[in-house]
mmCIF file of all heavy atoms in Angstrom:
data_model
loop_
_atom_site.group_PDB
_atom_site.id
_atom_site.type_symbol
_atom_site.label_atom_id
_atom_site.label_comp_id
_atom_site.label_asym_id
_atom_site.label_seq_id
_atom_site.Cartn_x
_atom_site.Cartn_y
_atom_site.Cartn_z
ATOM 1 N N THR A 235 18.188 -5.856 37.015
ATOM 2 C CA THR A 235 18.165 -4.456 36.808
ATOM 3 C C THR A 235 19.196 -3.686 37.429
ATOM 4 O O THR A 235 19.911 -4.142 38.414
ATOM 5 C CB THR A 235 16.784 -3.951 37.490
ATOM 6 O OG1 THR A 235 16.742 -4.141 38.759
ATOM 7 C CG2 THR A 235 15.571 -4.405 36.817
ATOM 8 N N GLU A 236 19.518 -2.485 36.820
ATOM 9 C CA GLU A 236 20.512 -1.647 37.568
ATOM 10 C C GLU A 236 20.058 -0.148 37.315
ATOM 11 O O GLU A 236 19.317 0.139 36.347
ATOM 12 C CB GLU A 236 21.847 -1.682 36.688
ATOM 13 C CG GLU A 236 22.600 -2.851 36.987
ATOM 14 C CD GLU A 236 23.785 -2.950 36.016
ATOM 15 O OE1 GLU A 236 24.790 -2.197 36.078
ATOM 16 O OE2 GLU A 236 23.747 -3.842 35.052
ATOM 17 N N THR A 237 20.426 0.646 38.245
ATOM 18 C CA THR A 237 19.942 2.138 38.173
ATOM 19 C C THR A 237 21.177 2.951 38.463
ATOM 20 O O THR A 237 22.113 2.563 39.099
ATOM 21 C CB THR A 237 18.867 2.433 39.138
ATOM 22 O OG1 THR A 237 19.315 2.058 40.521
ATOM 23 C CG2 THR A 237 17.586 1.618 38.875
ATOM 24 N N GLU A 238 20.983 4.178 37.913
ATOM 25 C CA GLU A 238 21.949 5.230 38.337
ATOM 26 C C GLU A 238 21.167 6.540 38.173
ATOM 27 O O GLU A 238 19.950 6.503 37.735
ATOM 28 C CB GLU A 238 23.221 5.209 37.410
ATOM 29 C CG GLU A 238 22.844 5.566 35.948
ATOM 30 C CD GLU A 238 24.209 5.532 35.145
ATOM 31 O OE1 GLU A 238 24.794 4.478 34.781
ATOM 32 O OE2 GLU A 238 24.615 6.640 34.775
ATOM 33 N N ALA A 239 21.759 7.708 38.556
ATOM 34 C CA ALA A 239 20.942 8.875 38.504
ATOM 35 C C ALA A 239 20.429 9.154 37.117
ATOM 36 O O ALA A 239 21.170 9.138 36.114
ATOM 37 C CB ALA A 239 21.764 10.164 38.893
ATOM 38 N N GLY A 240 19.122 9.217 37.004
ATOM 39 C CA GLY A 240 18.482 9.429 35.614
ATOM 40 C C GLY A 240 18.483 8.259 34.744
ATOM 41 O O GLY A 240 18.120 8.508 33.523
ATOM 42 N N TYR A 241 18.703 7.110 35.117
ATOM 43 C CA TYR A 241 18.767 5.964 34.178
ATOM 44 C C TYR A 241 18.398 4.741 34.924
ATOM 45 O O TYR A 241 18.922 4.417 36.051
ATOM 46 C CB TYR A 241 20.106 5.910 33.659
ATOM 47 C CG TYR A 241 20.322 4.827 32.641
ATOM 48 C CD1 TYR A 241 19.429 4.691 31.518
ATOM 49 C CD2 TYR A 241 21.429 3.971 32.692
ATOM 50 C CE1 TYR A 241 19.639 3.650 30.594
ATOM 51 C CE2 TYR A 241 21.672 2.889 31.670
ATOM 52 C CZ TYR A 241 20.707 2.746 30.711
ATOM 53 O OH TYR A 241 20.878 1.860 29.789
ATOM 54 N N ALA A 242 17.472 3.879 34.392
ATOM 55 C CA ALA A 242 17.090 2.651 34.945
ATOM 56 C C ALA A 242 17.198 1.614 33.766
ATOM 57 O O ALA A 242 16.717 1.907 32.644
ATOM 58 C CB ALA A 242 15.716 2.752 35.440
ATOM 59 N N ARG A 243 17.819 0.472 34.052
ATOM 60 C CA ARG A 243 17.817 -0.360 32.844
ATOM 61 C C ARG A 243 17.557 -1.853 33.390
ATOM 62 O O ARG A 243 17.845 -2.277 34.629
ATOM 63 C CB ARG A 243 19.186 -0.340 32.203
ATOM 64 C CG ARG A 243 20.343 -0.919 33.013
ATOM 65 C CD ARG A 243 21.579 -0.712 32.230
ATOM 66 N NE ARG A 243 22.592 -1.547 32.608
ATOM 67 C CZ ARG A 243 23.697 -1.732 31.929
ATOM 68 N NH1 ARG A 243 24.014 -1.046 30.837
ATOM 69 N NH2 ARG A 243 24.737 -2.549 32.362
ATOM 70 N N GLN A 244 17.063 -2.647 32.522
ATOM 71 C CA GLN A 244 16.796 -4.111 32.781
ATOM 72 C C GLN A 244 17.377 -4.881 31.787
ATOM 73 O O GLN A 244 17.343 -4.588 30.560
ATOM 74 C CB GLN A 244 15.244 -4.194 32.790
ATOM 75 C CG GLN A 244 14.844 -5.601 33.072
ATOM 76 C CD GLN A 244 13.239 -5.683 33.212
ATOM 77 O OE1 GLN A 244 12.537 -4.840 32.651
ATOM 78 N NE2 GLN A 244 12.785 -6.736 33.808
ATOM 79 N N THR A 245 18.060 -5.957 32.207
ATOM 80 C CA THR A 245 18.710 -6.852 31.210
ATOM 81 C C THR A 245 18.028 -8.295 31.270
ATOM 82 O O THR A 245 17.767 -8.733 32.314
ATOM 83 C CB THR A 245 20.241 -7.020 31.562
ATOM 84 O OG1 THR A 245 20.742 -5.746 31.911
ATOM 85 C CG2 THR A 245 20.973 -7.655 30.541
ATOM 86 N N ILE A 246 17.657 -8.755 30.150
ATOM 87 C CA ILE A 246 16.994 -9.986 30.032
ATOM 88 C C ILE A 246 17.958 -10.963 29.187
ATOM 89 O O ILE A 246 18.300 -10.476 28.054
ATOM 90 C CB ILE A 246 15.582 -9.925 29.436
ATOM 91 C CG1 ILE A 246 14.842 -8.974 30.216
ATOM 92 C CG2 ILE A 246 14.950 -11.311 29.464
ATOM 93 C CD1 ILE A 246 13.332 -8.707 29.749
ATOM 94 N N ARG A 247 18.242 -12.151 29.684
ATOM 95 C CA ARG A 247 19.107 -13.084 29.026
ATOM 96 C C ARG A 247 18.396 -14.327 28.694
ATOM 97 O O ARG A 247 17.545 -14.809 29.515
ATOM 98 C CB ARG A 247 20.287 -13.424 29.899
ATOM 99 C CG ARG A 247 21.387 -12.432 30.024
ATOM 100 C CD ARG A 247 22.451 -12.664 31.122
ATOM 101 N NE ARG A 247 22.881 -11.471 31.689
ATOM 102 C CZ ARG A 247 22.224 -10.788 32.703
ATOM 103 N NH1 ARG A 247 21.084 -11.339 33.279
ATOM 104 N NH2 ARG A 247 22.678 -9.719 33.164
ATOM 105 N N VAL A 248 18.483 -14.588 27.463
ATOM 106 C CA VAL A 248 17.637 -15.801 26.952
ATOM 107 C C VAL A 248 18.285 -16.515 25.818
ATOM 108 O O VAL A 248 19.055 -15.942 24.959
ATOM 109 C CB VAL A 248 16.232 -15.291 26.542
ATOM 110 C CG1 VAL A 248 16.363 -14.361 25.248
ATOM 111 C CG2 VAL A 248 15.256 -16.410 26.292
ATOM 112 N N ASP A 249 18.163 -17.870 25.822
ATOM 113 C CA ASP A 249 18.858 -18.674 24.793
ATOM 114 C C ASP A 249 18.069 -18.699 23.528
ATOM 115 O O ASP A 249 16.806 -18.724 23.563
ATOM 116 C CB ASP A 249 19.030 -20.142 25.255
ATOM 117 C CG ASP A 249 20.113 -20.155 26.275
ATOM 118 O OD1 ASP A 249 21.042 -19.433 26.360
ATOM 119 O OD2 ASP A 249 20.054 -21.090 27.154
ATOM 120 N N VAL A 250 18.689 -18.557 22.388
ATOM 121 C CA VAL A 250 17.872 -18.590 21.120
ATOM 122 C C VAL A 250 18.474 -19.606 20.298
ATOM 123 O O VAL A 250 19.805 -19.721 20.065
ATOM 124 C CB VAL A 250 18.086 -17.248 20.333
ATOM 125 C CG1 VAL A 250 17.458 -17.346 19.055
ATOM 126 C CG2 VAL A 250 17.453 -16.056 21.265
ATOM 127 N N GLY A 251 17.692 -20.539 19.795
ATOM 128 C CA GLY A 251 18.227 -21.617 19.030
ATOM 129 C C GLY A 251 18.309 -21.349 17.563
ATOM 130 O O GLY A 251 17.791 -20.403 17.040
ATOM 131 N N HIS A 252 18.981 -22.234 16.814
ATOM 132 C CA HIS A 252 19.164 -22.096 15.385
ATOM 133 C C HIS A 252 17.786 -22.022 14.679
ATOM 134 O O HIS A 252 16.899 -22.816 14.923
ATOM 135 C CB HIS A 252 19.836 -23.388 14.918
ATOM 136 C CG HIS A 252 20.543 -23.386 13.623
ATOM 137 N ND1 HIS A 252 19.826 -23.310 12.448
ATOM 138 C CD2 HIS A 252 21.852 -23.203 13.348
ATOM 139 C CE1 HIS A 252 20.801 -23.230 11.454
ATOM 140 N NE2 HIS A 252 21.979 -23.155 11.958
ATOM 141 N N GLY A 253 17.617 -20.864 13.853
ATOM 142 C CA GLY A 253 16.382 -20.836 13.075
ATOM 143 C C GLY A 253 15.154 -20.127 14.036
ATOM 144 O O GLY A 253 14.191 -19.964 13.369
ATOM 145 N N GLU A 254 15.486 -19.960 15.308
ATOM 146 C CA GLU A 254 14.283 -19.498 16.162
ATOM 147 C C GLU A 254 14.340 -17.957 15.995
ATOM 148 O O GLU A 254 15.166 -17.234 15.722
ATOM 149 C CB GLU A 254 14.630 -19.887 17.505
ATOM 150 C CG GLU A 254 14.319 -21.312 17.788
ATOM 151 C CD GLU A 254 14.746 -21.816 19.278
ATOM 152 O OE1 GLU A 254 15.028 -20.984 20.114
ATOM 153 O OE2 GLU A 254 14.594 -23.051 19.506
ATOM 154 N N THR A 255 13.077 -17.579 16.442
ATOM 155 C CA THR A 255 12.866 -16.083 16.585
ATOM 156 C C THR A 255 12.563 -15.620 17.944
ATOM 157 O O THR A 255 11.687 -16.181 18.572
ATOM 158 C CB THR A 255 11.691 -15.570 15.603
ATOM 159 O OG1 THR A 255 12.025 -15.938 14.327
ATOM 160 C CG2 THR A 255 11.504 -14.109 15.719
ATOM 161 N N LEU A 256 13.311 -14.696 18.459
ATOM 162 C CA LEU A 256 13.134 -14.076 19.712
ATOM 163 C C LEU A 256 12.302 -12.925 19.637
ATOM 164 O O LEU A 256 12.569 -11.995 18.727
ATOM 165 C CB LEU A 256 14.485 -13.748 20.415
ATOM 166 C CG LEU A 256 14.520 -12.923 21.608
ATOM 167 C CD1 LEU A 256 13.970 -13.693 22.780
ATOM 168 C CD2 LEU A 256 15.847 -12.326 21.961
ATOM 169 N N VAL A 257 11.109 -12.886 20.377
ATOM 170 C CA VAL A 257 10.322 -11.632 20.243
ATOM 171 C C VAL A 257 10.297 -10.959 21.655
ATOM 172 O O VAL A 257 9.922 -11.656 22.634
ATOM 173 C CB VAL A 257 8.913 -11.947 19.829
ATOM 174 C CG1 VAL A 257 8.082 -10.542 19.657
ATOM 175 C CG2 VAL A 257 8.955 -12.556 18.432
ATOM 176 N N VAL A 258 10.573 -9.747 21.753
ATOM 177 C CA VAL A 258 10.615 -9.016 22.946
ATOM 178 C C VAL A 258 9.580 -7.847 22.807
ATOM 179 O O VAL A 258 9.737 -7.239 21.710
ATOM 180 C CB VAL A 258 12.050 -8.467 23.419
ATOM 181 C CG1 VAL A 258 11.982 -7.662 24.593
ATOM 182 C CG2 VAL A 258 13.018 -9.573 23.443
ATOM 183 N N GLU A 259 8.826 -7.565 23.816
ATOM 184 C CA GLU A 259 7.976 -6.430 23.727
ATOM 185 C C GLU A 259 8.172 -5.511 24.946
ATOM 186 O O GLU A 259 8.441 -5.925 26.039
ATOM 187 C CB GLU A 259 6.557 -6.739 23.560
ATOM 188 C CG GLU A 259 5.844 -7.387 24.744
ATOM 189 C CD GLU A 259 4.340 -7.444 24.558
ATOM 190 O OE1 GLU A 259 3.925 -7.870 23.479
ATOM 191 O OE2 GLU A 259 3.623 -7.274 25.538
#
Side-chain angles (χ1 to χ4, degrees):
T235 57
E236 279 171 75
T237 59
E238 63 181 77
Y241 182 48
R243 68 183 205 171
Q244 181 171 17
T245 314
I246 300 176
R247 288 169 208 83
V248 62
D249 288 332
V250 178
H252 200 285
E254 284 174 7
T255 299
L256 165 71
V257 183
V258 178
E259 65 170 42

